[in-house]
Structure formats: structure tokens, C-alpha cells
Amino acid sequence: MASSPVTIRLKECSEQKINPIIRRITGLLPARFIVGIIDELDLEANPRNSRLGAVTSGIINSIQQDEESSARLFPFKTKGLLLAASSYVELDRKRFELRFEDRHTEGILDGGHNTLAVGVYILTQALKAAGKPAPKKKSIQIWEDFKQTWQENHSYIESYIKRLRNEEEYKALEREGVSKLD
């Protein structure tokens, strides 16, 4: 089944070429780009079905601590995600448009627990920002349950991500010495 494209942007991007066809691109993926990955993918290519537990709780705690710290060490405490896509387009500014054609061999190959933890964190923050209660852990114990809750609350997630982008743009302008009033 062909998929809709997912656009990601990497920071600190580097590349390895194994041959003219196979290319490995590594980098840091800001959390807001995980939204598109979660929207589009399931864990079909991942050998394990992720579930909430001690591992995901630990990851969520690390994310929360990282948000409260200026150090931003979370990317260095995890192996991250391993995505595979046989069809992609390299865009400008270290952005890539990915298409996942064969869901059994492409998509999230490793990092299902990280994806679930980041997704739960984003979902919880989006609901909190909307004045809604956090999802009950019992309702999202496994990936399929999480994915359903994610889809049901997608409008809150979109609003939250849009607000984060606006805050990020404002902070970038401040760093450049430009005020919104200029």
C-alpha cells in the first residue's frame, strides 16, 4: 500500500553511502516532525509491538527532564528511531520527503518504544494545553490503542504543534534581535 509523504527535517545531519542506491542519513529529529511519522505509520516493520511500561515511562521522564533543562541531552540518551524508506526526495534545509511503500519492510524498524513514548508525551502536552485531562494510561497500553487515542485528539495535537512553531519562530526572531513590532 502506497503512503502519503511524510516530511522531516534533521538537525546535525550526516550521510553514509553504502553504494549508489543505499544511503543512510542520520541526524537529530525535532519532536514536532514525529507527529507526521505517527500520523502515517504503524509498527508493521518493527519486530516488537510497543506497549506502555517501565521502558516507555523512563523515556517519558527523560523527555520531561529535558524540557525543563537547558542542556537538551535527551537525544544522547537514546538510540532514537530507525526509519527506512525506499522512496524519498531530498528537499532544502535538511528536509526529506519520505514515502513508505512496503509497510512490512519500511517504516519504523527500530525505536517503537521511543516513538510511543514521544507520542504519549506530545498527546499529553497537547491535551494539557487545550485544558483537557491527560489520557488514562489504561486506555493506551499498546500501540493500537495509542494510535486510536492519537487520531481522536488530532485537532488538539495540531493546535499544540502550531503554537510550538509560533513560539519557536518568535524565539528565533528574538535571538536575531528582531522584535515582533519591527
Side-chain angles (χ1 to χ4, degrees), residues 120-180:
V120 168
Y121 180 78
I122 290 170
L123 174 61
T124 302
Q125 294 302 106
L127 291 172
K128 183 177 171 183
K132 304 287 181 187
K136 294 185 171 130
K137 286 188 180 181
K138 288 182 183 179
S139 67
I140 54 172
Q141 284 295 304
I142 60 173
W143 177 263
E144 288 82 15
D145 297 337
F146 161 74
K147 198 61 191 257
Q148 181 178 344
T149 304
W150 177 269
Q151 290 165 345
E152 290 168 359
N153 293 285
H154 204 271
S155 63
Y156 300 123
I157 295 164
E158 286 177 347
S159 296
Y160 175 68
I161 295 299
K162 184 177 180 181
R163 192 183 93 209
L164 289 179
R165 274 194 194 116
N166 290 338
E167 287 175 9
E168 231 177 63
E169 289 169 8
Y170 183 75
K171 286 177 184 175
L173 289 173
E174 282 182 331
R175 281 191 302 271
E176 294 171 12
V178 178
S179 86
K180 281 240 186 212

Side-chain angles (χ1 to χ4, degrees), residues 3-149:
S3 65
S4 299
V6 174
T7 301
I8 62 170
R9 181 176 55 94
L10 299 174
K11 294 181 179 182
E12 305 300 323
C13 186
S14 65
E15 172 184 357
Q16 295 173 316
K17 284 188 179 180
I18 296 166
N19 60 42
I21 298 172
I22 299 176
R23 182 177 177 200
R24 171 185 265 177
I25 301 166
T26 59
L28 302 175
L29 181 68
R32 73 168 182 259
F33 290 99
I34 291 180
V35 171
I37 292 168
I38 293 172
D39 286 347
E40 185 61 31
L41 295 175
D42 284 315
L43 298 178
E44 293 174 58
N46 195 305
R48 292 175 301 280
N49 191 4
S50 299
R51 58 186 319 112
L52 286 181
V55 171
T56 49
S57 292
I59 295 167
I60 292 168
N61 287 338
S62 289
I63 295 167
Q64 288 169 334
Q65 290 171 358
D66 206 52
E67 287 292 314
E68 297 164 3
S69 164
S70 60
R72 303 288 188 202
L73 296 175
F74 178 71
F76 304 102
K77 295 179 180 180
T78 176
K79 292 187 305 181
L81 305 178
L82 175 60
L83 294 175
S86 59
S87 177
Y88 71 94
V89 176
E90 188 168 351
L91 306 170
D92 62 342
R93 298 182 321 228
K94 298 178 186 172
R95 293 179 310 133
F96 298 86
E97 182 182 274
L98 310 174
R99 284 191 184 270
F100 304 95
E101 305 294 337
D102 178 0
R103 298 295 183 97
H104 296 291
T105 59
E106 299 175 41
I108 301 169
L109 301 184
D110 191 17
H113 286 93
N114 281 332
T115 306
L116 179 59
V118 171
V120 168
Y121 180 78
I122 290 170
L123 174 61
T124 302
Q125 294 302 106
L127 291 172
K128 183 177 171 183
K132 304 287 181 187
K136 294 185 171 130
K137 286 188 180 181
K138 288 182 183 179
S139 67
I140 54 172
Q141 284 295 304
I142 60 173
W143 177 263
E144 288 82 15
D145 297 337
F146 161 74
K147 198 61 191 257
Q148 181 178 344
T149 304

